[in-house]
Amino acid sequence: MRIQPHFQRKLLHKHQRPVFGLYSTPTDWTQSASSQYQQGACEEATPLLKKEVEEESAVPPQCCSARCNLAVLMFFGFAVVYGLRVNLSVAMVAMVNGTSIRPVVNGSSVKACPAPTPGLNNSSNSIEQPDGIPQYAWGPATQGLLLGAFFFGYLLTQIPGGYLSGRLGGKIFMGGGVMGTAVLTLLTPLAADLGVPWLFTLRALEGFGEGVTFPAMMAMWARWAPPLERSRLMTFSGAGANFGAFLALPLTGFICHTLGWPAVFYCCGGAGCLWGVFWFILVSDDPHSHPRISKLEKDYIINSIGSQGGAHGWSVPLISILLSVPLWAINLAQMCSNWSYYTLLTSLPTYMDTVLHFDLRQNGFLSALPYLGGWLFSVLSGIVADHLLERELLSVTAVRKIFTLTGLLLPAAFLVAVGYVGCSGVLAVTFLTLSTSLGGTSAAGVFINQIDIAPRYAGVLLGITNTFGTIPGVVAPIVTGYLTKDHSLAGWRNVFFLSAVVSAVGALIFTLFGSGKIQSWALGEEEFERGTEGEQVDTP
């Protein structure tokens, strides 16, 4: 018997079931519903969204849609976030009076590359600044401590930010986090003048403000992203981080050279405040409250996400979360991946300066190239991942593991190669660019896996995983400063080799223990009963 369309709509709403945070709605709904409920499928199903209900259920166009506008605003938001984060990495080269630093020479180590010929003006031992701009005698250890200070604060607000965003909505937390950090950035020159403890504290406070941004993003996409558009929407918005690093690094070098390093922090802070104005005017927490979204798009998003797109309660299944093996696989894999990412993010300009002897403008541009590749590959990976799921070519688990393996193992190989290119600036930049570019593919893997295993608690989970993932941001710059205190090639070779080994370990862990299936503790009692009838659900 053919069910009439208006009855189909009611039945679909009543019986749609979560499949790894997604909802399955096949072309012939009645056939699929019958077969799935009767056979008790024991294998992971790939979600479908090609509905033929509710006026053929045409998917609303993405161009100029509310969900794509949100992705664009998030993209620029994370571009600002990473601009605020990395500006000190390049500005540090101009802030430090290099002529007052005498590296420790170890006769048994491989020396750094020879200094360039005087008169070619591509040495950056001492960056001349406009009159009245101060410079400081900070050694490598002090620089590493200041570069890592941001992450001390960043660690503290991940979990609270994810929890509150999942409960109250992510708009205010993401917008407030970016704007608060931007205001603090404006005070950086003053803090540097007051001394290292003041600058360390300021950078830690900036990290405290930015710590809520990524969990807030995940909580918002749990309410906004249709299942088969998740990879592309989330990787595009998150790719703003690489794009921000790509823009900030060369612009910081140019501004330092022409206007002096304080202008860097005034420009970045001003950009963050301007973005915040647009964010608070144009963004809503969910489709229900958006004043300009079309009814077709609102219904499409709400029906495809289902009950998992709602806010969670004040209480969360904390014990089950902490005992979840797939969550720990995400934690450890992200920690390992972030070790190399944060090492390059904070220390690559120093490597370009002290080893390869690029001048400040070359330094900023060449340090930015890897992040251009990372931006492009992360966006591409999201499109390919959604295509594989839509065509039912691979399961969610397989897609996440493949992109994680690609994004961790291949970059590790190129990092090892960087350590053995000697003083060849061309080869070093080429391998670093390839490493970070290929690393962008993990954006469609482990970095969005939280929303697969527990959509309702995605903000909380991202807060947890980002807390663990931020530990390398604290430790890696300090370890790098220790390993490279004599500015030798051998020291930097150890830095790159250590990063490669850590990345490979992360890839192995996620391959063995990662999952794309929704976890039983992420379902309500009624959802769990429905889910176990026809779909496999991971149980602790």
Side-chain angles (χ1 to χ4, degrees):
M1 178 181 69
R2 181 70 174 175
I3 299 178
Q4 295 301 315
H6 65 283
F7 289 116
Q8 281 186 311
R9 292 198 297 273
K10 293 179 181 179
L11 287 171
L12 177 62
H13 179 74
K14 179 179 179 182
H15 293 294
Q16 59 188 177
R17 305 175 309 288
V19 185
F20 323 120
L22 313 179
Y23 287 84
S24 179
T25 56
T27 301
D28 191 343
W29 183 86
T30 54
Q31 273 189 336
S32 176
S34 175
S35 62
Q36 288 182 8
Y37 276 101
Q38 291 175 9
Q39 69 184 1
C42 62
E43 61 182 7
E44 183 177 350
T46 303
L48 300 175
L49 286 182
K50 297 179 180 177
K51 303 177 183 177
E52 289 190 357
V53 296
E54 193 164 5
E55 298 177 355
E56 305 268 322
S57 196
V59 176
Q62 293 185 3
C63 181
C64 301
S65 64
R67 63 193 187 280
C68 285
N69 290 340
L70 175 62
V72 170
L73 277 170
M74 280 190 178
F75 175 88
F76 285 109
F78 284 115
V80 170
V81 161
Y82 265 67
L84 297 172
R85 186 179 302 190
V86 307
N87 50 25
L88 185 64
S89 300
V90 176
M92 184 74 74
V93 178
M95 296 171 74
V96 173
N97 184 356
T99 58
S100 66
I101 307 299
R102 292 289 183 267
V104 177
V105 178
N106 184 343
S108 63
S109 65
V110 181
K111 303 299 188 298
C113 299
T117 304
L120 292 181
N121 197 30
N122 60 340
S123 173
S124 55
N125 285 338
S126 182
I127 306 300
E128 292 187 7
Q129 291 288 282
D131 293 340
I133 303 297
Q135 290 183 297
Y136 309 100
W138 297 335
T142 300
Q143 293 177 50
L145 186 65
L146 290 173
L147 290 172
F150 176 94
F151 299 100
F152 282 93
Y154 194 68
L155 277 169
L156 299 178
T157 50
Q158 297 285 330
I159 296 176
Y163 171 75
L164 293 173
S165 297
R167 174 61 185 167
L168 304 174
K171 173 183 175 179
I172 189 171
F173 292 99
M174 182 166 178
V178 176
M179 287 195 74
T181 305
V183 171
L184 290 171
T185 299
L186 297 172
L187 302 176
T188 302
L190 174 62
D193 265 345
L194 292 174
V196 170
W198 286 91
L199 183 56
F200 181 93
T201 302
L202 181 72
R203 289 290 293 180
L205 287 174
E206 290 180 25
F208 189 89
E210 274 195 25
V212 302
T213 53
F214 276 97
M217 175 203 76
M218 184 67 77
M220 291 190 72
W221 280 130
R223 305 181 186 191
W224 272 98
L228 290 186
E229 295 181 16
R230 277 178 179 163
S231 296
R232 74 192 77 168
L233 288 172
M234 293 176 67
T235 54
F236 176 80
S237 56
N242 278 325
F243 184 74
F246 167 68
L247 284 184
L249 288 167
L251 285 178
T252 297
F254 176 78
I255 294 171
C256 282
H257 192 272
T258 55
L259 301 176
W261 63 260
V264 169
F265 302 101
Y266 299 140
C267 293
C268 290
C273 292
L274 179 62
W275 173 87
V277 173
F278 286 97
W279 175 263
F280 283 109
I281 291 175
L282 299 176
V283 168
S284 297
D285 279 315
D286 52 51
H288 294 279
S289 58
H290 197 290
R292 293 172 297 277
I293 190 173
S294 68
K295 184 179 184 303
L296 178 62
E297 184 182 8
K298 180 192 294 186
D299 292 342
Y300 165 65
I301 294 173
I302 293 172
N303 290 337
S304 62
I305 295 175
S307 60
Q308 283 287 323
H312 60 69
W314 286 109
S315 62
V316 297
L318 186 59
I319 300 300
S320 297
I321 288 174
L322 295 179
L323 294 178
S324 173
V325 173
L327 178 61
W328 278 105
I330 298 173
N331 280 335
L332 296 175
Q334 284 195 190
M335 284 180 65
C336 294
S337 176
N338 283 351
W339 181 280
S340 59
Y341 185 83
Y342 284 137
T343 295
L344 297 182
L345 190 70
T346 57
S347 303
L348 188 55
T350 302
Y351 172 73
M352 298 286 191
D353 171 51
T354 60
V355 176
L356 300 180
H357 301 294
F358 291 116
D359 70 30
L360 189 57
R361 284 170 291 187
Q362 290 175 320
N363 190 332
F365 175 73
L366 295 174
S367 296
L369 277 181
Y371 300 101
L372 173 63
W375 166 48
L376 294 174
F377 272 74
S378 61
V379 173
L380 181 62
S381 71
I383 296 172
V384 174
D386 278 346
H387 177 78
L388 292 173
L389 293 176
E390 187 175 4
R391 296 294 183 92
E392 302 181 70
L393 299 176
L394 293 170
S395 68
V396 178
T397 299
V399 167
R400 301 298 178 233
K401 289 185 176 182
I402 289 171
F403 281 96
T404 301
L405 277 172
T406 304
L408 270 67
L409 286 183
L410 294 180
F414 284 109
L415 280 179
V416 172
V418 173
Y420 291 92
V421 298
C423 296
S424 173
V426 173
L427 285 178
V429 171
T430 299
F431 289 148
L432 286 168
T433 300
L434 288 172
S435 177
T436 306
S437 298
L438 292 170
T441 61
S442 62
V446 65
F447 283 96
I448 63 171
N449 190 219
Q450 299 91 341
I451 204 170
D452 297 319
I453 66 173
R456 176 176 288 128
Y457 302 109
V460 176
L461 296 196
L462 189 76
I464 294 172
T465 57
N466 236 20
T467 297
F468 283 92
T470 302
I471 293 174
V474 177
V475 180
I478 298 173
V479 172
T480 299
Y482 174 78
L483 293 175
T484 62
K485 59 186 177 182
D486 58 355
H487 300 298
S488 68
L489 284 172
W492 282 101
R493 182 177 299 145
N494 291 334
V495 168
F496 296 128
F497 184 76
L498 175 62
S499 298
V501 170
V502 171
S503 292
V505 170
L508 177 64
I509 290 172
F510 191 77
T511 301
L512 293 176
F513 302 108
S515 175
K517 303 174 184 178
I518 192 168
Q519 304 298 293
S520 60
W521 46 262
L523 301 174
E525 182 177 347
E526 184 179 345
E527 291 175 312
F528 179 76
E529 291 175 357
R530 291 201 306 266
T532 53
E533 288 179 13
E535 315 294 348
Q536 184 177 350
V537 177
D538 271 5
T539 55

